[in-house]
Amino acid sequence: MSNVTKDNKNRLYAHTFIAWIFFLFLFYMVAREMVFYISLRQAYLLSPLYSNRISSRTVLFTSVPEEFLNEGKLRKTFGKAVKNLWIARDCEKIEELVKERDQAAFKLEAAETKIIKLAGAARLKAIKKGTAPADEPEVGLDGESGSVAARWIDPKQRPTHRLKFLIGKKVDTINWCRSELERLIPEVDALQASYRAGEAKYVPSVFIEFYTQTEAQAAYQSLAHHQALHMAPRFIGIDPEQVIWKNLSMSWAKRVISNIIALAFISALIIFWSIPVGFVGILSNIDGLIAEYSWLKWLNKIPAVIFGVVKGLLPAVLLAVLMALLPIILRLAAKKSGAPSLAAIELRTQNFYFAFQVIQVFLVATLASAASASAAKIAKNPSEATSLLSENLPKASNFYLSFIIVQGLTISAAALAQIVGVIIFKILGKLLDNTPRKMYTRFSNLAGLGWGTVLPLYTNLLVISLTYSIIAPLVLGFATVAFYLLYIANRYNLLFVFNAHIDTKGLIYPRALKQTTTGAYLSIVCLIGLFGISTAVGPLILMIILLIFLILFHVSLNAAIEPLLNYLPKSLQVEEDSLLGVEDGYGPSEGGKYGSQVGAEARPIDSQSPDDTGKGLSLPAPHAKPNLFTKWLHPEIYSDYQTLRRLVPRGFPEITYDPIVERDAYYHPAIASQTPLLWIPRDTMGISRQEIQHSSRVIPITDEDASFDETNKLTWNEEGGRPPIWKEKVYY
């Protein structure tokens, strides 16, 4: 575009008409994808696979007035639809006690394992020297604690620790932990019983479980209190394991203030982030500064090796540290703003990080590049500033051509190689996993993916591509290659490498989709500026009209889809019930699209073939198969709820909960926490059996499925896959 001069500015009409076609197509695709996504999300949320979960029927009310922190009043307010309710409590005291109990328990477990390993190593040495038999004879276990281990190790070798860091009294770890657990376990049990009985201070939040998802949605969508900001905001579908319990104690005023402070902090962070990054840049150009400023010449006295490290390695390390700290800072700010769940934190982090990426990574770099290329000429002739910038702003795209392809190559390569994962699993695992529990935990848990800081990176790449799509269209080709590489890498990782520890119910995707339109707005604003600089009146007016139209369209689209993203419509809940009746063989649906169409063909789920399990429905499609263009043009018809619900897996066992699990579902983890089962390795010397005999008087302990092999290496039964500490995952 920089090749178009003022003499042939009518050629800018070509850019204008292409911009109209491209950006209208972009916004249509965003709207179309929203329709598809909403229908698919509704189909999943209304399916028995999700709707029977306790979280789908539970609503969290925050900022609850003190007079409503009463079970009777809450049941009266929400009627007979209420099944269970949990008023949040101040659990600071019991949380601290449970933490102390668990720390003492796991310290005892590690010490028991260590003493067995030390004795095993001493025994192997004795066997090599010929002073001990290879076959260990049976030994009596009735002696005092540690008597069997004392045959092989000196009492001074027993595990010890200090009660305070460096200056505390040194104690025998095993004996101290047993005495602590003997004191702590009864205290925790008694306090848990008192909390369940309601003998604790309430905090202004309550979880209410309803009998059905429909009743929960009705409560979620209704205005619960007549005063502003009371019993609000409300949340539904929160997994108990993802609740940020400390944030439930916030009053409405504290929540508002915390949110304002967090937003102010993030805004300042984005604006002033250039300062530490600029300092890193200064370090990389230290030679030029020394030549420019005489008072820095003392730096030349630093040894050449050290100076080389400061100039070459230190800036890269500092920049890497800064960029690694940024996601941590953003998540902490989101948490401090009052978000009640990990999912809410992830969604806020996504907004924060996207704003940072667009402003710092894109806009600042683009403007700096264009300005620096024109700075000298502008200084000589300020009157030509606008024309010089119009020439050099498109040229800044040269940087992003390489930036996009490098990002695509490096991110996708790093995602596939998983170097950090290999180091953590293979190297750190061997160094740090000194108990069977730690080995099993590392073996069984997949790494999580923080979408709040991953997706904005990709969204920003798309924003950059869209911004330069008209000014320098070549960027789109490089972006296509980069995104294909990212797709291949992330598809593999999501299927085989990562696990979704934080469930946003898919809301991370439409937010990213809406954020991509930022690229269209930036591109149009740039074109308006460039056309104004070039005094191309016709293209300028057309682009202003396009901008106004897209803003109005975007506002209307958000107003239309926002309720559908947050709530489940009553009409679909009725439709789902009727369709489930058809599937179960109860005759045609009354009022549904299918009607008698499938009544004769319907069969109960139990009678479906084994191949149907985990697949979509066997019901016929509600529409005749369209051609490709018609399907693309009418997503509201051919990607509607009845069509996309066929993609949701069926035939899974009915979700049921143990009565205790259901009773404790939304209690603070400290209230429901049970005394942990200790897991130590079995040995041939009889040490583990004696330790179990003594420790079991205080805490549950076992040595099943773990042992030391003939080289004294710790192992556990990986083939079985279900060690004593295994617990069945509860799908809340």
Side-chain angles (χ1 to χ4, degrees):
M1 188 171 172
S2 58
N3 296 325
V4 181
T5 62
K6 289 186 177 181
D7 296 332
N8 51 13
K9 57 187 178 184
N10 285 337
R11 293 183 180 179
L12 294 175
Y13 278 106
H15 298 81
T16 303
F17 291 130
I18 293 297
W20 269 74
I21 295 170
F22 181 72
F23 291 128
L24 287 175
F25 172 78
L26 173 69
F27 272 77
Y28 174 76
M29 287 302 295
V30 169
R32 185 190 185 283
E33 189 66 15
M34 282 291 186
V35 171
F36 179 90
Y37 165 80
I38 288 171
S39 296
L40 185 61
R41 182 173 185 266
Q42 289 172 342
Y44 169 72
L45 294 181
L46 287 169
S47 69
L49 183 63
Y50 176 78
S51 63
N52 289 334
R53 295 184 181 184
I54 192 171
S55 63
S56 73
R57 297 179 278 110
T58 302
V59 183
L60 166 62
F61 294 89
T62 59
S63 305
V64 179
E66 188 173 350
E67 63 269 19
F68 275 84
L69 296 176
N70 177 281
E71 182 172 347
K73 193 159 189 175
L74 287 170
R75 288 187 178 274
K76 187 176 181 180
T77 302
F78 293 99
K80 296 180 179 179
V82 176
K83 182 179 181 181
N84 291 311
L85 59 84
W86 299 264
I87 302 174
R89 295 171 172 83
D90 181 1
C91 293
E92 186 176 352
K93 181 180 178 182
I94 190 172
E95 189 176 13
E96 187 62 31
L97 275 178
V98 169
K99 183 179 177 181
E100 289 181 23
R101 182 201 66 188
D102 291 349
Q103 285 178 343
F106 297 138
K107 187 185 285 290
L108 174 61
E109 183 180 76
E112 302 270 23
T113 304
K114 183 178 180 180
I115 199 173
I116 297 170
K117 186 175 180 65
L118 289 173
R123 177 174 171 268
L124 285 179
K125 283 185 180 180
I127 291 173
K128 288 179 181 179
K129 292 178 181 179
T131 58
D135 296 328
E136 185 69 21
E138 289 289 330
V139 295
L141 305 178
D142 297 330
E144 63 179 16
S145 177
S147 61
V148 177
R151 297 175 58 221
W152 301 104
I153 62 173
D154 191 272
K156 293 180 180 179
Q157 293 179 276
R158 286 175 60 85
T160 59
H161 70 280
R162 293 187 180 275
L163 297 180
K164 290 184 180 180
F165 183 66
L166 293 179
I167 59 173
K169 178 184 176 183
K170 183 180 283 190
V171 295
D172 183 277
T173 300
I174 293 176
N175 293 333
W176 180 86
C177 288
R178 285 173 181 165
S179 62
E180 279 294 291
L181 290 170
E182 196 171 6
R183 173 182 66 85
L184 287 169
I185 290 175
E187 282 187 33
V188 170
D189 292 343
L191 204 54
Q192 286 176 334
S194 68
Y195 270 74
R196 286 196 183 96
E199 300 171 5
K201 179 185 175 183
Y202 290 143
V203 296
S205 294
V206 59
F207 294 92
I208 301 180
E209 180 196 359
F210 296 85
Y211 283 98
T212 66
Q213 185 186 44
T214 302
E215 293 165 340
Q217 282 288 327
Y220 175 57
Q221 296 176 32
S222 64
L223 190 62
H225 199 272
H226 60 281
Q227 290 184 327
L229 302 177
H230 286 62
M231 297 189 76
R234 303 176 296 279
F235 302 87
I236 195 170
I238 293 183
D239 190 316
E241 296 174 348
Q242 296 185 13
V243 176
I244 308 298
W245 296 96
K246 288 185 178 179
N247 287 351
L248 298 186
S249 61
M250 286 187 176
S251 64
W252 67 267
K254 185 178 179 181
R255 193 177 299 277
V256 169
I257 293 170
S258 299
N259 196 43
I260 292 172
I261 292 173
L263 290 174
F265 171 75
I266 293 299
S267 301
L269 183 70
I270 292 173
I271 294 170
F272 296 109
W273 187 258
S274 299
I275 295 175
V277 174
F279 174 73
V280 172
I282 290 172
L283 286 179
S284 64
N285 191 32
I286 195 71
D287 285 331
L289 292 175
I290 293 173
E292 186 73 23
Y293 302 103
S294 58
W295 58 275
L296 289 175
K297 292 188 182 296
W298 63 271
L299 293 173
N300 287 325
K301 299 178 182 179
I302 298 176
V305 176
I306 298 176
F307 190 71
V309 170
V310 171
K311 184 174 64 174
L313 184 61
L314 187 60
V317 171
L318 287 177
L319 187 60
V321 170
L322 280 173
M323 298 311 295
L325 285 175
L326 182 62
I328 299 173
I329 295 171
L330 296 179
R331 279 197 175 87
L332 182 61
K335 182 178 180 180
K336 294 297 183 182
S337 69
S341 69
L342 295 177
I345 287 176
E346 210 65 18
L347 291 169
R348 291 189 188 182
T349 302
Q350 183 187 15
N351 283 342
F352 294 161
Y353 201 36
F354 175 73
F356 175 87
Q357 286 285 318
V358 170
I359 294 172
Q360 280 292 338
V361 177
F362 179 37
L363 293 181
V364 172
T366 300
L367 295 175
S369 175
S372 61
S374 312
K377 294 180 181 179
I378 291 173
K380 292 180 181 179
N381 193 354
S383 62
E384 296 184 4
T386 55
S387 61
L388 288 169
L389 283 173
S390 67
E391 291 176 7
N392 287 283
L393 188 60
K395 293 178 181 177
S397 64
N398 295 335
F399 165 73
Y400 289 108
L401 291 175
S402 55
F403 175 78
I404 288 172
I405 198 66
V406 166
Q407 288 288 302
L409 288 170
T410 55
I411 294 177
S412 59
L416 289 175
Q418 291 293 317
I419 300 298
V420 175
V422 171
I423 293 173
I424 291 175
F425 190 82
K426 292 293 185 181
I427 299 175
L428 293 183
K430 291 183 178 179
L431 295 175
L432 302 178
D433 297 346
N434 54 3
T435 66
R437 183 186 303 273
K438 291 180 180 179
M439 293 179 68
Y440 168 70
T441 301
R442 193 178 300 278
F443 176 85
S444 60
N445 290 340
L446 292 174
L449 194 62
W451 282 114
T453 50
V454 170
L455 216 53
L457 295 173
Y458 305 150
T459 311
N460 187 48
L461 288 180
L462 185 55
V463 166
I464 293 170
S465 305
L466 293 174
T467 302
Y468 280 104
S469 59
I470 307 299
I471 299 173
L474 191 61
V475 171
L476 293 176
F478 285 82
T480 302
V481 175
F483 277 106
Y484 177 73
L485 294 173
L486 292 171
Y487 165 74
I488 295 297
N490 283 288
R491 182 176 182 273
Y492 176 83
N493 283 340
L494 290 174
L495 290 174
F496 303 111
V497 179
F498 292 124
N499 192 14
H501 296 304
I502 300 175
D503 184 10
T504 64
K505 306 295 183 296
L507 291 176
I508 206 92
Y509 175 69
R511 187 163 296 196
L513 201 61
K514 288 188 278 189
Q515 288 170 349
T516 59
T517 58
T518 305
Y521 290 124
L522 289 175
S523 182
I524 293 171
V525 170
C526 286
L527 288 171
I528 289 173
L530 292 172
F531 292 162
I533 291 169
S534 302
T535 64
V537 179
L540 176 64
I541 293 173
L542 288 173
M543 292 310 299
I544 292 174
I545 293 172
L546 177 62
L547 178 62
I548 294 172
F549 173 77
L550 290 181
I551 290 174
L552 294 175
F553 175 81
H554 200 172
V555 171
S556 302
L557 179 65
N558 284 341
I561 66 173
E562 201 64 31
L564 296 173
L565 289 173
N566 295 323
Y567 309 122
L568 290 177
K570 183 76 172 177
S571 59
L572 289 186
Q573 293 173 5
V574 174
E575 185 74 14
E576 178 67 20
D577 290 341
S578 64
L579 290 173
L580 288 175
V582 171
E583 292 167 22
D584 290 338
Y586 294 119
S589 167
E590 296 181 4
K593 280 193 176 184
Y594 289 98
S596 59
Q597 175 187 357
V598 297
E601 301 178 22
R603 50 180 173 150
I605 291 176
D606 291 340
S607 67
Q608 295 180 9
S609 66
D611 292 338
D612 289 339
T613 302
K615 295 183 179 179
L617 298 178
S618 58
L619 294 174
H623 313 289
K625 188 174 182 180
N627 60 54
L628 191 63
F629 179 74
T630 305
K631 184 178 180 181
W632 176 80
L633 195 61
H634 293 287
E636 77 284 0
I637 298 175
Y638 299 108
S639 295
D640 64 348
Y641 171 79
Q642 285 79 9
T643 302
L644 294 184
R645 77 185 290 274
R646 294 160 52 82
L647 302 178
V648 179
R650 304 281 166 163
F652 287 95
E654 183 179 354
I655 296 176
T656 57
Y657 297 99
D658 182 272
I660 295 178
V661 170
E662 190 167 8
R663 180 199 68 183
D664 295 343
Y666 285 93
Y667 276 133
H668 190 288
I671 299 176
S673 175
Q674 297 180 349
T675 304
L677 170 66
L678 302 193
W679 185 26
I680 63 174
R682 183 172 296 174
D683 65 282
T684 58
M685 300 169 287
I687 298 175
S688 66
R689 283 176 288 163
Q690 187 183 56
E691 295 301 318
I692 288 174
Q693 188 180 63
H694 289 275
S695 294
S696 60
R697 300 168 186 169
V698 178
I699 188 171
I701 183 171
T702 183
D703 63 354
E704 296 177 8
D705 285 341
S707 62
F708 286 102
D709 62 15
E710 61 277 2
T711 62
N712 205 38
K713 180 183 177 182
L714 181 60
T715 62
W716 68 281
N717 182 14
E718 295 182 8
E719 293 182 3
R722 290 194 175 185
I725 61 170
W726 177 84
K727 292 181 181 179
E728 185 176 2
K729 180 175 176 55
V730 179
Y731 291 94
Y732 290 105

